[in-house]
Amino acid sequence: MAERIEQRLEDRIPELEQLERVGLFTRKEIRAVLRKASALEYKIQRRALRKEDFINYIQYEVNLLELIKKRRARIGYSFKKDEIEHSILHRVHSLFNRATGKWKDDVQLWLSHVAFCKQWNAKHQLSKVFSTMLAIHSNKPALWIMAAKWEMETRLSSESARHLFLRALRFHPECPKLYQEYFRMELMHAEKQRKEKKEFEQAKMDLGEFNYSEEILNGEMARIVYRDASQKIKGVEFQLAVLSIAKLFDFTHDLQKEILESLQTRYADDPLTWDYMARRELEMGSLQPTEHTTKQKKVSEMAQREELCCAVFDEAVRAVPTEDMWKCYITFCLERHKRKTNSEELKQKRLERTLSVFSKAHESSLLPEALYKQWLQLLLDSNLSEKAVEVAEAATRHFSQSVETWQMRLQVLIQLKRDDVSQCFEEAIKHVKSKGTLPLWTLWVEWSEGTNSKEDTEALYQRSLHATMPAESVTMKEMYLDWTYRSGGYKKVKRLFTSLCENRPFSLDFFRNMIRIEKEQESCKMLHLREYYERALREFGSTNTDLWLDYIKEELSHPKGKPENCGSIHWRAMKMLQGDLVEDFVSKYTLLQTGHL
């Protein structure tokens, strides 16, 4: 092994001598490079190889290349690159080849090699890397697309890119992304040939030796790709994706027309088809020349285009009366409503249209639950509070068992300071199952704290503890404790704490809040703190190291604390804690003893 390493280091000597001779590195720096290289070589020649060692070696060589590049720029020296950089690049490629040969499944390692080749313009080497990588990772479409794009955009080889896409489609015959990128590549190839032909014609050169097929120039290859893909890939999303690609090229009008006809024929009942057709009215309007037009005329044109869109959507909800179709319509209206405009008339028209569509969807019983919230917010923002109350009530009739819907209605009533809030809370609790009602109870007690008397709020807290599931009652106990301290003082909260401790479950914050309250008192009693810590440790002592450490710190820092108790607390912690927590506790306890915690 040592002989092999010595040979590798000797192979470096010519490039290092050149670096010193041309003044890029000093002799001292050359020695440092040799020492570092020797250490790195020994690490990658061991029997038990580690990926990190290869990565560190590669990173060192890349940093060395960057440093040489900067020094060349500084002194203005650009010669001897074959003797210096070429040697280092060859070594980095060898390291990458060894690493990817050992850890073939590490895609990130392959991609690092690809990125390195691109950075240093190693086209021949990159071609080899792609070839080997795709032989191993043929199950990853993204890698095929990356390789084909490089062939097309960097090497300007449409034929190689096409060959790669065809190979990829043999492995992934139903991959939409592959077909989309193949379709894009064929259109790019056609555009490239059109530009070439135009330049030749402008230069009045003879095109006899060049064969420019009219079919290819008009995107016929892309049409073939699209037709083949359409037979294998179902779904309107693919059709729309291909159509959006075709629209990027100005010679694809016939192709766009074919895709659009296929979309309308095969997916006439899909909401996304109607959504596209409606929004297309906006785009078609925007293609009209708008020079020398007044602001008023622009506003008028925009209003007309939006009306055309809505006409298509109206037809859509009649033809496809589903929740998804109404959702597309409402989403469009909300988008237009949120767009900024200086025209108050247009703004008002958009608002009225949006509210009207919401109402129609609701009347059809096809308004999704999630959209009721946006409707209510729009009504409140428009100061239509009475209508908001009606809509909220209607929403809870439609979704009577939904906690979110009841919560939404209650928030509206609270915001408007209505008198029937309590009645609505009672109705909500009656309709919704006990599991998952925590948001309603927290909202109710928070409202009661600011509105009702202390007696009513306390009765509500007591009721919530019995009405919620055990896991949810934990949060209510924390809120009850906090409210009692704020409204009734220390003595009352201590009595409540003792009372609540009789019923499990608890949270750690429940005990920590009580400890915090005790420490806020002028006469903070260590006896009470011990009681709270002991209660908390009975529940969480086996799973929480910080609780033990806080207990120890309390004994050490409190004026009435007993430092001699720390030993027994430490012993108990070691017995109660489980698994890796013991080691964690020991390390933290050591830091505490040395004053670092």
Side-chain angles (χ1 to χ4, degrees):
M1 184 176 79
E3 290 176 4
R4 191 157 60 244
I5 292 169
E6 287 300 319
Q7 182 61 49
R8 287 177 181 277
L9 293 174
E10 283 178 17
D11 291 342
R12 281 176 171 268
I13 289 173
E15 80 196 47
L16 295 173
E17 285 177 345
Q18 290 288 359
L19 282 168
E20 185 182 0
R21 191 179 67 79
V22 300
L24 290 170
F25 279 40
T26 63
R27 177 160 292 221
K28 186 178 178 182
E29 287 172 330
I30 296 295
R31 286 173 182 163
V33 169
L34 271 173
R35 279 197 301 274
K36 184 66 177 177
S38 176
L40 291 167
E41 281 287 351
Y42 270 101
K43 284 184 179 179
I44 65 163
Q45 296 298 337
R46 295 184 297 197
R47 283 187 179 178
L49 296 176
R50 292 169 64 243
K51 194 194 309 182
E52 292 75 18
D53 293 331
F54 279 89
I55 292 169
N56 290 339
Y57 198 169
I58 290 166
Q59 190 59 57
Y60 177 75
E61 294 288 8
V62 170
N63 292 343
L64 191 63
L65 280 168
E66 291 291 346
L67 182 60
I68 293 168
K69 186 178 177 182
K70 286 179 182 177
R71 291 200 176 174
R72 278 185 180 281
R74 192 177 69 193
I75 66 173
Y77 185 82
S78 58
F79 304 104
K80 300 287 183 184
K81 287 192 176 182
D82 284 347
E83 290 90 336
I84 299 172
E85 277 91 341
H86 181 76
S87 175
I88 300 172
L89 288 170
H90 178 73
R91 190 159 52 249
V92 173
H93 289 309
S94 299
L95 287 167
F96 266 122
N97 290 337
R98 278 188 65 191
T100 51
K102 174 73 176 172
W103 295 280
K104 293 182 176 70
D105 294 335
D106 191 338
V107 177
Q108 193 55 51
L109 205 56
W110 287 101
L111 293 178
S112 297
H113 196 182
V114 169
F116 176 78
C117 292
K118 286 180 178 178
Q119 184 183 357
W120 293 95
N121 202 28
K123 293 182 181 179
H124 180 68
Q125 187 66 34
L126 182 51
S127 193
K128 287 182 180 178
V129 173
F130 273 131
S131 179
T132 312
M133 179 175 69
L134 291 173
I136 295 166
H137 294 284
S138 57
N139 61 331
K140 295 179 174 61
L143 299 182
W144 287 99
I145 292 168
M146 182 193 295
K149 275 190 171 182
W150 178 75
E151 290 287 353
M152 180 69 189
E153 294 170 8
T154 306
R155 298 192 75 185
L156 304 176
S157 173
S158 306
E159 196 60 43
S160 299
R162 186 180 296 116
H163 180 65
L164 278 169
F165 273 121
L166 291 170
R167 280 180 61 200
L169 288 168
R170 284 203 292 272
F171 289 100
H172 308 279
E174 295 181 359
C175 177
K177 190 66 179 171
L178 266 175
Y179 272 110
Q180 287 168 32
E181 294 304 326
Y182 185 17
F183 180 78
R184 190 198 305 272
M185 186 278 293
E186 290 295 359
L187 289 176
M188 287 170 67
H189 174 60
E191 186 179 49
K192 177 184 162 190
Q193 290 215 331
R194 289 171 75 91
K195 285 180 180 176
E196 282 180 6
K197 185 182 177 185
K198 187 179 179 182
E199 285 172 6
F200 282 137
E201 286 173 347
Q202 286 176 347
K204 297 180 180 179
M205 291 177 66
D206 183 19
L207 298 177
E209 57 184 285
F210 299 103
N211 182 23
Y212 289 107
S213 166
E214 280 300 318
E215 289 185 338
I216 291 176
L217 291 174
N218 292 326
E220 192 59 35
M221 292 293 288
R223 193 190 300 272
I224 293 167
V225 173
Y226 163 70
R227 287 175 179 173
D228 183 45
S230 292
Q231 292 173 3
K232 295 175 183 175
I233 299 168
K234 309 300 177 189
V236 69
E237 293 87 353
F238 175 74
Q239 299 283 334
L240 291 174
V242 171
L243 186 55
S244 67
I245 293 168
K247 284 165 69 176
L248 299 173
F249 300 87
D250 56 8
F251 58 89
T252 61
H253 298 298
D254 291 341
L255 182 56
Q256 288 180 48
K257 189 177 176 183
E258 181 180 329
I259 297 169
L260 204 55
E261 286 173 0
S262 172
L263 189 67
Q264 290 176 292
T265 307
R266 296 172 62 189
Y267 303 101
D269 294 337
D270 196 300
L272 290 176
T273 302
W274 285 99
D275 185 55
Y276 175 80
M277 296 306 295
R279 290 172 183 269
R280 190 162 165 263
E281 295 294 333
L282 270 183
E283 293 174 11
M284 288 172 73
S286 64
L287 295 175
Q288 305 292 334
T290 55
E291 293 178 13
H292 310 299
T293 55
T294 62
K295 285 185 180 180
Q296 187 60 38
K297 194 173 180 183
K298 284 182 180 179
V299 168
S300 176
E301 286 175 359
M302 178 58 71
Q304 286 175 6
R305 291 205 299 268
E306 288 180 5
E307 287 297 334
L308 289 171
C309 293
C310 290
V312 176
F313 272 120
D314 287 333
E315 186 185 343
V317 292
R318 284 194 297 272
V320 189
T322 63
E323 277 194 7
D324 287 338
M325 191 66 257
W326 279 106
K327 186 177 179 181
C328 289
Y329 194 176
I330 290 167
T331 302
F332 169 77
C333 291
L334 287 170
E335 284 174 8
R336 303 311 299 175
H337 173 67
K338 287 175 184 173
R339 284 181 72 88
K340 291 183 178 179
T341 177
N342 294 325
S343 170
E344 288 298 323
E345 182 187 349
L346 183 59
K347 198 181 293 182
Q348 186 61 28
K349 193 176 284 187
R350 285 171 174 173
L351 174 62
E352 288 171 4
R353 182 194 301 128
T354 306
L355 293 174
S356 171
V357 173
F358 268 121
S359 293
K360 287 175 184 175
H362 168 67
E363 287 163 12
S364 306
S365 300
L366 291 171
L367 184 62
E369 183 184 351
L371 289 178
Y372 272 100
K373 188 171 184 178
Q374 288 177 279
W375 189 9
L376 285 169
Q377 192 58 54
L378 192 60
L379 289 167
L380 292 171
D381 292 344
S382 306
N383 296 318
L384 299 169
S385 54
E386 288 303 319
K387 181 65 176 174
V389 172
E390 287 177 29
V391 168
E393 187 178 346
T396 52
R397 279 201 303 271
H398 273 85
F399 306 98
S400 60
Q401 294 193 345
S402 168
V403 173
E404 291 79 14
T405 305
W406 280 104
Q407 193 177 0
M408 184 173 65
R409 179 182 171 186
L410 288 161
Q411 284 168 341
V412 169
L413 294 177
I414 291 168
Q415 186 176 335
L416 298 173
K417 297 182 179 177
R418 300 283 292 224
D419 297 330
D420 54 346
V421 176
S422 290
Q423 184 185 337
C424 187
F425 271 118
E426 294 287 358
E427 196 180 341
I429 296 300
K430 187 169 68 178
H431 279 90
V432 181
K433 294 176 183 177
S434 59
K435 188 177 181 181
T437 56
L438 180 62
L440 295 178
W441 283 107
T442 54
L443 184 62
W444 197 353
V445 295
E446 283 170 359
W447 169 78
S448 182
E449 285 177 17
T451 309
N452 294 340
S453 64
K454 290 181 182 179
E455 292 76 15
D456 289 344
T457 303
E458 185 158 13
L460 194 59
Y461 268 116
Q462 289 286 352
R463 183 181 165 190
S464 71
L465 295 177
H466 297 100
T468 51
M469 299 294 286
E472 294 177 338
S473 69
V474 166
T475 304
M476 298 311 301
K477 285 175 185 174
E478 291 175 26
M479 293 179 69
Y480 192 6
L481 197 75
D482 185 55
W483 173 79
T484 303
Y485 178 56
R486 285 186 280 112
S487 62
Y490 173 71
K491 287 185 179 180
K492 190 172 181 180
V493 79
K494 193 172 184 315
R495 285 198 301 273
L496 176 66
F497 175 78
T498 307
S499 168
L500 292 176
C501 281
E502 294 174 8
N503 297 305
R504 286 187 172 87
F506 309 108
S507 68
L508 183 57
D509 285 338
F510 173 72
F511 294 105
R512 287 203 179 277
N513 285 347
M514 196 59 216
I515 291 166
R516 174 183 57 77
I517 290 167
E518 181 66 44
K519 290 169 79 172
E520 286 176 4
Q521 308 311 307
E522 287 184 16
S523 57
C524 172
K525 294 183 179 178
M526 188 64 204
L527 190 67
H528 293 161
L529 286 174
R530 284 196 193 101
E531 178 196 344
Y532 306 146
Y533 273 113
E534 289 295 341
R535 284 182 184 274
L537 288 169
R538 278 201 291 272
E539 304 295 329
F540 304 100
S542 61
T543 57
N544 193 290
T545 56
D546 291 337
L547 197 58
W548 290 101
L549 291 163
D550 290 344
Y551 192 7
I552 290 169
K553 283 193 269 190
E554 212 66 66
E555 290 285 8
L556 291 170
S557 60
H558 196 278
K560 299 283 184 174
K562 293 182 179 179
E564 60 270 22
N565 289 351
C566 295
S568 66
I569 296 170
H570 178 273
W571 180 78
R572 285 167 58 202
M574 296 292 286
K575 285 188 71 178
M576 278 190 76
L577 289 167
Q578 299 170 355
D580 296 337
L581 293 173
V582 176
E583 189 178 336
D584 184 43
F585 173 75
V586 169
S587 61
K588 286 180 177 177
Y589 184 68
T590 305
L591 289 171
L592 178 64
Q593 285 181 311
T594 54
H596 291 93
L597 189 67

